[in-house]
Amino acid sequence: AQTIHQWPVAEIKAVGSPLSLGCTIKGKSSPNLYWYWQATGGTLQQLFYSITVGQVESVVQLNLSASRPKDDQFILSTEKLLLSHSGFYLCAWSLNSDYTFGSGTRLLVI
Amino acid sequence: AQSVTQPDARVTVSEGASLQLRCKYSYSATPYLFWYVQYPRQGLQLLLKYYSGDPVVQGVNSFEAEFSKSNSSFHLQKASVHWSDSAVYFCALSPLSGSFNKLTFGAGTRLAVCP
């Protein structure tokens, strides 16, 4: 069975500090991978997608970057956090328009 | 361009009452349509999806949704809600084809079920 694991579960970080969020997919080879962001009380916005290792496309500019160093791994990062980065980050994979979401990382920037 | 509109930000119903959460979409062709539920501090869970065929689709936990091409709608329904149904519900749309499938979400409807 396919599983999707996100880490960490939650983070409290200072403005200006770096951030790295991770996502690992097990049981599925070469999935399409996505990062979504949800502001508190808001809808979900697609940030990045990746169809293959080493290739990441940006959908929304939020001063964040993403990388796919391995087929089953998707990383979201920034060198300098902003207050506006606070929210809920979800990783997802898809096959033929069927999406599976991770349990998310809750980020508070103070 | 594709978009999803959920006109009701909040809905409050009594336990045991029927429920309808509205969803309207905009897309040039017939898309894939989804309803997801988000419980507090959790990720998204798929309730049901529509690809083609019978416009009424059954989902988990006795939810169902009806696709209407003429109205560009995909409303979610439940005959009798339980307090545990309190959550945020998202309608979403994805194009039928393409190696990159952009899943577009509505703003969500927060459902509160009162005892």
Side-chain angles (χ1 to χ4, degrees), chain B residues 29-51:
Chain B
T30 300
Y32 290 142
L33 292 163
F34 307 83
W35 275 100
Y36 288 90
V37 61
Q38 184 179 36
Y39 297 103
R41 296 180 181 80
Q42 293 186 28
L44 296 180
Q45 297 176 32
L46 180 67
L47 279 179
L48 45 80
K49 59 189 178 186
Y50 172 78
Y51 289 164

Side-chain angles (χ1 to χ4, degrees), chain B:
Chain B
Q2 58 198 63
S3 66
V4 177
T5 301
Q6 293 179 248
D8 305 307
R10 289 179 181 270
V11 170
T12 302
V13 297
S14 299
E15 193 166 25
S18 62
L19 170 72
Q20 183 186 70
L21 301 183
R22 295 184 292 165
C23 173
K24 300 272 285 184
Y25 70 89
S26 175
Y27 185 60
S28 55
T30 300
Y32 290 142
L33 292 163
F34 307 83
W35 275 100
Y36 288 90
V37 61
Q38 184 179 36
Y39 297 103
R41 296 180 181 80
Q42 293 186 28
L44 296 180
Q45 297 176 32
L46 180 67
L47 279 179
L48 45 80
K49 59 189 178 186
Y50 172 78
Y51 289 164
S52 64
D54 189 340
V56 178
V57 291
Q58 307 295 324
V60 301
N61 204 16
S62 302
F63 282 95
E64 67 176 36
E66 184 168 4
F67 168 71
S68 171
K69 188 173 183 179
S70 60
N71 294 324
S72 298
S73 67
F74 190 55
H75 300 329
L76 182 70
Q77 300 169 96
K78 188 170 184 177
S80 176
V81 296
H82 187 263
W83 66 266
S84 60
D85 292 325
S86 297
V88 180
Y89 292 79
F90 290 97
C91 182
L93 170 160
S94 174
L96 276 175
S97 62
S99 59
F100 159 54
N101 304 112
K102 183 174 181 182
L103 190 62
T104 299
F105 287 87
T109 297
R110 185 173 297 276
L111 172 67
V113 180
C114 301

Side-chain angles (χ1 to χ4, degrees), chain A residues 2-79:
Chain A
Q2 301 92 2
T3 61
I4 179 168
H5 174 59
Q6 280 188 249
W7 74 92
V9 172
E11 282 259 53
I12 300 176
K13 304 277 281 186
V15 170
S17 64
L19 174 76
S20 181
L21 305 181
C23 174
T24 299
I25 316 298
K26 294 298 182 189
K28 184 69 194 160
S29 63
S30 303
N32 291 346
L33 296 177
Y34 310 85
W35 278 109
Y36 279 83
W37 171 70
Q38 183 184 32
T40 302
T43 190
L44 292 116
Q45 224 175 344
Q46 192 174 78
L47 299 179
F48 299 93
Y49 70 93
S50 172
I51 295 173
T52 190
V53 175
Q55 290 187 16
V56 177
E57 300 296 329
S58 173
V59 179
V60 173
Q61 287 298 328
L62 282 182
N63 292 309
L64 295 167
S65 60
S67 63
R68 187 170 177 176
K70 301 178 187 177
D71 186 51
D72 64 352
Q73 197 173 70
F74 206 20
I75 307 296
L76 183 71
S77 61
T78 183
E79 293 186 0

